[in-house]
């Protein structure tokens, strides 16, 4: 373990406290670093220190790792004004922390002489990595665990934007409770979410996922179907731009996480034709049964194995 | 949104030691004339990560009020060394004693105050009992007076995972604890909970620690809805330990996932600052 505390400043002058780790002795250092960005409101270690666990796969291959605290989070300076998490997540999804990520890249260039980067992390860290890659050609690849394609804080009822996958799962849960007296008591006490129950049990009354217009965005192929109302408007442009310049991406999803169904139904489905030409660049893997944060050693091991395989294919 | 104190450039992250014994710490220098030193003991595992920004704000507010503050990650958590599964209650107490020494090296020899959150409060009390007058006092936010009960509550996420994977609970809490005592490591929230940790936590039962509470102690309790008096267990401590004060302070549970973004614990901070002032 040869980690170094790095305090750098973003363009707004906030001190960001990060951790930099070079490959261990005996492993030749390459001109490539992996930058792992704060997930959600958690800090540079990620839930149950996930970033420290996956970092080993990069380090073993000569790839330095930097774990970054965004401004207003972790130990860093700055304050985030939101009181509600969905509003905070929304700002992350719109690219609030791109400048923080860029500051880390420039530090690595200046202080370590590294010119190429793999960027990403878990959830909001992954998305910030994608949005940063859109405007930075030094980013050679995206490494994304549980990357969200939607935008939070739209104000719509939660059930309005549910995917077919989510509704199917909820339908199974509700049906399994038919013989449970406690479930009926709860229903009769009017504490249940009737809108969600109705949407789950009567899927044909209103198809899953509120739809927006079929909108054409600059640099994005025309979608084959109406887009989800809560699709992040920055996601598709950033992903297509990354792929068009030949940069590979590894997307790891968790089997028990709604984010995989959202990715499939809200991004892949409308652009399945256009995505076909990028098959060789875009790798998508699912860790069966896993929750969003990979909160079991077996799931972490699976993610590490996928990471190792991808790195060996792409960067050996 | 409340105005947050500016860090003012008086903050410094640091490592102490190397490898598995390494501690990560963060020192907040006092603004103006020093009024004392505070060492902060964080909550356990994922509760620590949810609470982290509250700790940072608290440390900055204390620094503005003239206190030198040292936050640190125990081994197995955050950026400190060792794997979580290798750590125990004893390593957490050792780390706290080390942090006390580090704080004195940075801020002067005067005995620091320990402030601990939830299980970190129990660790602070255990550490304080070992060093007597070398700790000026202990404040505990949202006390966890029964370590065994707390451990059992930690297993809840394991049950949730069982439900998600198998559609039902295949191993109850009692079965899980029996398995742990037989040597198995059970995972909750991504953290491996083993027998040494279970035994150590179970021993941290406040009612069975007569040697604790020798220093001035503040217990900041979150009242259950509608209650205006301390819980029976904490009230009983004040009956036999005159140095112990209990204050009720309402805070949202920022140590677990809620719909809010928590950056400050105003009620806990006010209670602690008032009590620190009374120690002078």
């Amino acid at each position: 373990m040869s980690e170094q505390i790095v305090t750098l400043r973003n363009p707004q002058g906030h001190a960001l406290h990060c951790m930099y780790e070079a490959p261990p002795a005996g492993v030749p250092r390459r001109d490539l670093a992996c930058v792992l960005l704060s997930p959600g409101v958690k800090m540079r270690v990620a839930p149950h220190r996930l970033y420290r666990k996956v970092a080993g796969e990069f380090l073993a291959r000569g790839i330095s790792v930097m774990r970054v605290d965004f401004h207003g989070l972790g130990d860093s300076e700055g304050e985030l004004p939101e009181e509600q998490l969905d509003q905070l997540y929304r700002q992350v999804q719109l690219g609030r922390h791109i400048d923080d990520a860029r500051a880390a890249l420039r530090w690595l260039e200046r202080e370590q002489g590294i010119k190429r980067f793999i960027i990403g992390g878990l959830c909001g860290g992954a998305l910030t990595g994608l949005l940063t890659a859109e405007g930075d050609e030094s980013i050679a690849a995206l490494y994304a665990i549980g990357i969200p394609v939607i935008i939070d804080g739209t104000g719509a009822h939660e059930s309005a934007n549910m995917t077919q996958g989510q509704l199917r799962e909820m339908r199974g849960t509700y049906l399994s409770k038919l013989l449970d007296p406690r479930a009926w008591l709860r229903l009769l006490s009017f504490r249940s979410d009737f809108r969600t129950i109705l949407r789950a049990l009567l899927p044909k009354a209103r198809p899953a996922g509120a739809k927006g217009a079929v909108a054409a965005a600059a640099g994005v192929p025309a979608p084959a179907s109406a887009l989800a109302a809560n699709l992040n408007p920055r996601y598709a442009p950033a992903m297509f731009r990354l792929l068009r310049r030949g940069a590979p991406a590894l997307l790891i999803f968790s089997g028990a996480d709604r984010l995989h169904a959202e990715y499939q139904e809200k991004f892949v489905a409308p652009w399945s034709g256009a995505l076909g030409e990028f098959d060789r660049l875009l790798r998508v893997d699912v860790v069966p049964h896993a929750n969003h944060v990979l909160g079991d050693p077996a799931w972490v091991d699976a993610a590490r194995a996928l990471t190792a395989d991808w790195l060996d294919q792409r960067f050996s | 949104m409340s105005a947050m104190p500016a860090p003012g450039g008086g903050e410094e992250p640091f490592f102490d030691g190397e490898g598995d014994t390494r501690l990560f710490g963060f020192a907040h220098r006092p603004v103006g004339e020093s009024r004392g030193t505070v060492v902060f003991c964080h909550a356990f595992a994922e509760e620590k990560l949810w609470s982290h920004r509250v700790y940072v704000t608290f440390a900055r507010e204390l620094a503005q009020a003239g206190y030198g503050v040292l936050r640190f990650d125990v081994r197995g958590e955050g950026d400190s060394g060792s794997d979580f599964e290798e750590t125990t209650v004893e390593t957490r107490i050792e780390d706290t004693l080390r942090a006390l020494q580090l704080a004195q090296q940075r801020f002067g020899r005067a005995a620091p105050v320990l402030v601990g959150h939830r299980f970190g409060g129990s660790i602070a009390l255990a550490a304080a009992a070992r060093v007597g007058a070398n700790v000026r006092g202990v404040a505990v936010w949202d006390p966890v007076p029964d370590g065994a009960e707390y451990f059992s509550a930690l297993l809840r996420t394991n049950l949730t995972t069982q439900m998600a994977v198998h559609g039902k609970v295949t191993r109850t809490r009692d079965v899980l604890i029996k398995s742990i005592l037989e040597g198995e490591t059970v995972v909750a929230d991504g953290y491996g909970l083993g027998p040494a940790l279970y035994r150590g936590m179970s021993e941290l039962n406040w009612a069975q620690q007569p040697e604790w509470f020798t220093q001035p102690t503040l217990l900041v309790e979150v009242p259950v809805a509608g209650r205006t008096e301390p819980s029976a267990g904490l009230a009983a401590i004040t009956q036999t330990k005159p140095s112990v004060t209990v204050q009720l302070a309402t805070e949202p549970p920022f140590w677990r996932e809620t719909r809010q973004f928590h950056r400050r614990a105003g009620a806990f901070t006010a209670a602690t600052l008032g009590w620190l002032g009374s120690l002078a």
Side-chain angles (χ1 to χ4, degrees), chain B residues 10 30 67-68 168 183 225 230 247 256:
Chain B
Y67 295 92
K168 61 182 179 181
Q247 278 196 39
R256 57 176 183 257

Side-chain angles (χ1 to χ4, degrees), chain B residues 11 15 17 22-23 32 52 72 112 116-117 134 139 149 163-164 166 169 176 185 192 205 209 220 222-223 245 251:
Chain B
E11 302 183 344
F15 282 137
R22 184 184 80 182
L23 285 191
H52 192 84
F72 70 103
H117 180 213
N134 286 330
E149 190 177 283
M163 284 295 294
H166 307 297
V169 173
L176 291 173
T185 295
N205 185 325
Q209 305 290 344
V220 187
V222 180
T245 306
E251 289 286 357

Side-chain angles (χ1 to χ4, degrees), chain A residues 7-17 71-72 76-79 99-100 103, chain B residues 7-9 60:
Chain A
T7 298
L8 49 90
R9 292 206 176 264
N10 69 7
Q12 291 72 39
H14 300 122
L16 311 181
H17 301 293
H71 79 272
S76 290
E77 292 180 1
E79 292 298 337
D99 280 350
D100 297 339
Chain B
R60 287 174 179 167

Side-chain angles (χ1 to χ4, degrees), chain A residues 1 3 17 42 44 47-49 52 67 72-76 78-85 88 295 297, chain B residues 1 4 19 22 24 46 50 52-53 56 60 71 76 78-80 82 187 190-191 258-261 263:
Chain A
M1 186 160 42
E3 282 173 305
H17 301 293
K42 303 256 173 108
R44 58 182 178 263
H48 62 85
R49 303 167 114 194
R52 294 186 63 176
R67 297 185 282 111
L73 295 172
D75 291 316
S76 290
E79 292 298 337
L80 306 181
E82 292 82 14
E83 301 291 338
Q84 299 296 314
L85 272 182
L88 188 150
Chain B
M1 173 190 168
M4 298 293 162
R22 184 184 80 182
F24 172 78
E46 212 64 4
W50 283 114
H52 192 84
R53 198 61 185 173
V56 171
R60 287 174 179 167
R71 297 183 287 115
D79 284 304
S80 287
S82 193
V187 176
Y191 298 86
T258 71
R259 288 176 184 269
Q260 280 82 44
F261 173 49
R263 66 175 77 73

Side-chain angles (χ1 to χ4, degrees), chain B residues 5-17:
Chain B
E11 302 183 344
E12 184 194 0
F14 66 89
F15 282 137
D16 181 70

